Amino acid sequence: MGFEAHSRLLDPGQIRRAMTRIAHEILEGNRGASDVALVGIAARGDDLARRLAGEIGRIEGAEVPEVPVGVLDITFYRDDIGLRAEAPEVHETRIPFDVTGKTVVLVDDVLYTGRTIRAAMDALMDLGRPRSIRLAVLVDRGHRELPIRADYVGKNVPTRADELVRVLLEETDGVDAVEVGEVVP
């Protein structure tokens, strides 16, 4: 199975600007970054969370402590784990801080049905009791199946349900891009 892109939604400059805007919105919405922690959903959300932490640090300056960043694996919290034909890819959860009492911003690449975010919230709650949970996504493509909404969005992209949105990141793919396309045999 492969992927055939129909169009490019975001290029490297647009991704960088979206991340800068989201960082500013996080800071404005939380009156700074003092009690904020970023938790990226493996596998691309963690790269985006690290980028956001860097951008927040750049905006806030050296006098403000770094925003803590963690990685969350939701594999065994998914509601479709027994329904998939292929074996799930398991990642490591690494959250080197206590989430209790913090505003945790979950970070993911694409928001689609909302099921990944529901699983992430369940996994996060097993680690502690955050004061609040917010959601930052690079792309919101619609087609929600659960009542979940992103607080911070890089780009809203109306898609057809049969289309795929692919996020490519420099850290994992060697290039920054967001494409819309379809699976091809």
Side-chain angles (χ1 to χ4, degrees), residues 81-172:
I81 192 156
L83 304 175
R84 293 180 168 210
E86 71 276 353
E89 185 178 344
V90 179
H91 301 275
E92 182 183 4
T93 291
R94 289 183 318 276
I95 301 181
F97 52 87
D98 187 3
V99 299
T100 300
K102 292 203 175 295
T103 295
V104 175
V105 180
L106 282 174
V107 182
D108 204 8
D109 56 352
V110 178
L111 176 56
Y112 182 34
T113 63
R115 292 181 181 277
T116 295
I117 305 308
R118 188 224 31 98
M121 288 190 297
D122 287 349
L124 190 61
M125 296 304 281
D126 279 352
L127 299 173
R129 189 175 191 280
R131 181 178 30 158
S132 64
I133 300 173
R134 301 286 181 251
L135 176 60
V137 297
L138 183 58
V139 176
D140 183 343
R141 63 170 291 190
H143 301 285
R144 219 71 79 238
E145 294 174 2
L146 299 174
I148 290 176
R149 174 187 61 81
D151 300 282
Y152 314 106
V153 178
K155 184 167 181 77
N156 285 293
V157 180
T159 61
R160 295 189 325 259
D162 63 333
E163 290 179 309
L164 293 176
V165 174
R166 180 171 71 168
V167 174
L168 303 169
L169 297 176
E170 184 72 38
E171 296 88 338
T172 53

Side-chain angles (χ1 to χ4, degrees), residues 22-40:
I22 291 171
H24 278 284
E25 290 174 358
I26 289 170
L27 290 168
E28 290 171 17
N30 294 286
R31 295 185 182 95
S34 61
D35 287 327
V36 173
L38 302 173
V39 174

Side-chain angles (χ1 to χ4, degrees), residues 35-57:
D35 287 327
V36 173
L38 302 173
V39 174
I41 299 170
R44 286 185 170 63
D46 56 331
D47 292 325
L48 294 171
R50 283 188 288 276
R51 286 187 189 190
L52 277 174
E55 192 61 26
I56 288 170

